[in-house]
């Protein structure tokens, strides 16, 4: 007799080994797809983060540099004319600076071509220039450019009441907040003359309306002459600079603090394996006889900086040609003919997010070349890179 239990036993037969193997294979395939999707998403997220990281740093670096480029060459109401030579405005530099000290000059901009012009060591305070070229494949020397911008600090504008050239003394409309050793610019009442000098007295701590710019100083570099206004431009390297007092500045002239900033590519203080854009700013003259500077790391991941300078050849205030720094003659004052700067920064990511191709991927280097000249040159690692460029006009440089 067959009862209900015997029939139920027949219905509960197990799955076969083949069915188990098929189920396992299907599970592995599904799990593999899930894992592949996770890895792809993780890679895409890392790539997106790297792109955002590059773009954020590039945007900030460009904004900071562009602000200083627009300011460069600001001499109060005096316009740094973009005519040949010294220009229409007369510039008198009384600072007794050593030959080759490019910090303390009356040029709105001065560039340094990588591997050609050496950026002053005194401006690389506590950092080192970026020279890590192990991942670059090509024949070009790895040498980022550098640049200095100069002008007047418009946060301080003192009105001149009188000026005694022979005694090197200004009377001001209010108390002088500057200290002995500080550098200052004076712009004439007719906006045609600019003088650069060092304050030698009085030791008033901002409670005196006088400003003295006598020869000699307890702080370097001192003044080589009392003269800060003359019929033509001069500096202390000129063999016949005027002495003793030159010409006086009239009432209504302006006295302002001198300012200078520089940019270069150095090793990041946050990670010595990474490059960074640095901004170095003139602070004051130190008691050791040199320039005291403040160094700020602006943006990490800036691996290269190439600069071209818009050169005005016909005195209309517009760039006719873009030149490298080593193509501009310092001796003849051609830097006063620069009216714009074309900056190109090579930004790099923080992780290995670029797909490896097995060969050096072409990256325009040094930005000014063509594909035929630089074909096959580039970086052979997996670091994502992007070139960003911008042209900015020096708004204080104009035509006569």
């Amino acid at each position: 007799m067959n009862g209900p239990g015997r029939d139920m036993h027949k219905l509960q037969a197990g799955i076969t080994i083949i069915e188990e193997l098929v189920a396992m294979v299907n599970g592995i395939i599904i799990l593999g797809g899930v894992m592949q999707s996770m890895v792809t998403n993780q890679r895409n997220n890392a790539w997106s983060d790297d792109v955002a990281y590059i773009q954020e740093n590039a945007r900030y670096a460009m904004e900071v540099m562009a602000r200083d480029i627009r300011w460069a060459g600001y001499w109060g109401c005096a316009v740094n004319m973009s005519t040949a030579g010294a220009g229409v405005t007369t510039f008198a530099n009384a600072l007794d600076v050593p030959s080759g000290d490019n910090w303390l000059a009356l040029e709105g901009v001065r560039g340094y071509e990588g591997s050609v012009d050496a950026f002053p060591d005194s401006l690389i305070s506590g950092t080192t220039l970026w020279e890590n070229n192990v991942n670059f494949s090509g024949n070009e020397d790895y040498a980022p450019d550098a640049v200095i911008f100069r002008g007047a600090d418009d946060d301080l504008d003192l009105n001149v009441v009188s000026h005694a050239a022979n005694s090197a003394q200004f009377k001001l409309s209010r108390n002088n907040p500057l200290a002995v050793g500080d550098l200052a610019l004076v712009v004439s009442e007719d906006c045609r003359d600019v003088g650069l000098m060092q304050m030698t007295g009085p030791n008033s701590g901002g409670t005196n309306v006088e400003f003295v710019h006598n020869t000699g100083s307890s702080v370097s570099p001192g003044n080589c002459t009392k003269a800060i206004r003359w019929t033509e431009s001069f500096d202390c390297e000129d063999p016949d600079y005027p002495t003793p007092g030159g010409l006086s500045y009239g009432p209504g002239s302006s006295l302002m603090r001198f300012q200078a900033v520089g940019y270069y590519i150095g090793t990041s203080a946050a990670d010595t394996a990474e490059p960074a854009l640095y901004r170095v700013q003139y602070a004051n003259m130190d008691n050791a006889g040199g320039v005291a500077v403040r160094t700020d790391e602006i943006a990490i991941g800036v691996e290269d900086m190439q600069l071209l300078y818009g050169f005005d050849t016909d005195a209309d205030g517009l760039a006719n040609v873009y030149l490298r720094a080593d193509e501009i003659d310092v001796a003849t004052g051609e830097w006063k003919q620069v009216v714009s700067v074309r900056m190109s920064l090579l930004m790099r990511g923080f992780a290995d997010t670029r797909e490896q191709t097995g060969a050096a991927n072409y990256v325009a280097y040094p930005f000014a070349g063509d594909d035929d000249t630089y074909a096959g040159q580039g970086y052979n690692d997996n670091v994502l890179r992007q070139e960003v460029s911008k042209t900015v006009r020096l708004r204080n440089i104009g035509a006569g």
Side-chain angles (χ1 to χ4, degrees), residues 71-85:
W71 158 83
Y74 171 68
W75 315 116
C77 65
V79 178
N80 188 52
M81 304 299 184
S82 59
T83 51

Side-chain angles (χ1 to χ4, degrees), residues 221-239:
N223 301 309
C224 69
T225 177
K226 297 178 182 180
I228 51 174
R229 189 179 192 182
W230 196 235
T231 56
E232 60 184 8
S233 298
F234 72 88
D235 60 30
C236 292
E237 293 187 0
D238 292 334

Side-chain angles (χ1 to χ4, degrees), residues 37-59:
S37 178
M38 291 177 62
V39 170
T40 301
N41 288 338
Q42 186 178 23
R43 183 184 298 116
N44 289 339
N45 289 337
W47 186 88
S48 298
D49 291 343
D50 230 14
V51 170
Y53 170 84
I54 288 174
Q55 292 178 347
E56 180 179 359
N57 286 341
R59 185 181 302 109

